């Protein structure tokens, strides 16, 4: 479920957070699904339980999971994750548009570039390019 990349410069807890968000977004983890306990996941990944607890705390802060005292952690409504991810994409897109304008790229050229990239990603996922519009 979770794979840690020890060559990644990001802290391990951030990798765990990112992976869980991705699993929720792609539907692998559905709303109200239980997450592994902190102890079990730490043992499975051979990392400190405090690292998993930090990741779970961050996931809860972001609205990706919720805790039930005495029962564990569960996946929250996916809409919260999608909203967060869309906000991140909009911020990244704004920076990218600014860079394109500074480089002298026309709106049409930039749009064509984005359309091509969208199609490339969609074909790798086996999804029609216009399906998620």
């Amino acid at each position: 479920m979770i794979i840690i990349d020890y060559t990644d410069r990001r802290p391990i807890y951030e990798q765990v957070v990112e992976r869980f968000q991705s699993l929720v977004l792609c539907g692998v983890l559905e709303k109200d699904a239980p997450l592994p306990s902190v102890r079990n996941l730490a043992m499975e990944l051979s990392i400190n339980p405090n690292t998993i607890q930090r990741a779970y705390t961050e996931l809860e802060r972001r609205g990706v999971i919720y805790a039930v005292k005495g029962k564990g952690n569960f996946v929250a409504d996916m809409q919260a994750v999608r909203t967060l991810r869309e906000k991140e994409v909009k911020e990244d897109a704004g920076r990218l548009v600014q860079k394109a304008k500074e480089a002298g790229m026309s709106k049409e050229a930039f749009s064509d570039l984005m359309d091509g990239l969208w199609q490339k990603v969609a074909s790798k996922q086996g999804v029609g390019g216009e399906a998620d519009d």
Side-chain angles (χ1 to χ4, degrees):
M1 182 189 302
I2 303 289
I3 298 171
I4 302 300
D5 179 2
Y6 293 100
T7 63
D8 191 329
R9 291 183 163 205
R10 293 178 301 156
I12 292 172
Y13 87 94
E14 286 182 11
Q15 293 182 49
V16 173
V17 167
E18 179 64 30
R19 185 65 178 140
F20 270 118
Q21 281 188 169
S22 295
L23 291 171
V24 170
L25 281 172
C26 69
V28 172
L29 294 175
E30 296 180 356
K31 181 181 177 192
D32 299 323
L35 271 60
S37 71
V38 169
R39 183 174 299 176
N40 287 344
L41 187 55
M43 287 186 347
E44 181 182 322
L45 298 176
S46 298
I47 59 177
N48 190 313
N50 291 333
T51 302
I52 300 301
Q53 184 58 55
R54 186 172 180 188
Y56 279 11
T57 299
E58 179 62 19
L59 286 164
E60 188 172 8
R61 186 189 71 74
R62 294 183 184 188
V64 177
I65 67 172
Y66 63 93
V68 177
K69 190 169 181 141
K71 296 196 184 258
N73 295 290
F74 299 86
V75 177
D77 186 3
M78 289 186 343
Q79 189 57 44
V81 177
R82 284 193 176 107
T83 300
L84 176 65
R85 186 60 61 97
E86 287 176 11
K87 180 182 176 200
E88 292 170 355
V89 168
K90 287 176 183 177
E91 291 170 358
D92 291 345
R95 287 189 289 272
L96 190 57
V97 167
Q98 185 63 38
K99 282 184 177 182
K101 287 183 80 172
E102 289 170 358
M105 185 178 255
S106 71
K107 180 180 176 183
E108 293 76 20
F110 184 78
S111 181
D112 289 346
L113 174 65
M114 291 298 104
D115 285 345
L117 291 171
W118 186 275
Q119 292 298 327
K120 183 178 178 181
V121 170
S123 67
K124 284 183 181 179
Q125 294 175 342
V127 177
E130 302 300 320
D132 293 329
D133 286 345

